[in-house]
Amino acid sequence: MTPTPLTWIKSSYSGNDGPDCVEVAISTPTIHIRDSKNKNGARLAFTGDAWSEFLSQMHA
């Protein structure tokens, strides 16, 4: 079985000529995060629950 390629979404805080930020790709059941300026570098992967918890802490 061939894995489905991820569709990466660039953060709205990243500009085309401005500061680099992060990109997110959602694939059930995992949310993937990578640095937008180093697309072949390290990536993080979260379960949906862990990602929700992370986001809730960011808004605290």
Side-chain angles (χ1 to χ4, degrees), residues 3-10 23-28 30-34 43:
T4 303
L6 296 172
T7 301
W8 292 94
I9 303 166
K10 193 173 190 179
E23 293 179 323
V24 176
I26 300 170
S27 68
T28 305
T30 309
I31 291 82
H32 303 268
I33 311 295
R34 71 180 180 187
R43 298 177 181 178

Side-chain angles (χ1 to χ4, degrees), residues 1-54:
M1 180 176 192
T2 303
T4 303
L6 296 172
T7 301
W8 292 94
I9 303 166
K10 193 173 190 179
S11 168
S12 61
Y13 291 98
S14 291
N16 289 333
D17 59 346
D20 293 311
C21 204
V22 297
E23 293 179 323
V24 176
I26 300 170
S27 68
T28 305
T30 309
I31 291 82
H32 303 268
I33 311 295
R34 71 180 180 187
D35 185 337
S36 64
K37 65 184 175 292
N38 187 7
K39 296 179 184 206
N40 294 317
R43 298 177 181 178
L44 300 174
F46 297 89
T47 64
D49 289 340
W51 182 244
S52 293
E53 179 65 21
F54 172 75

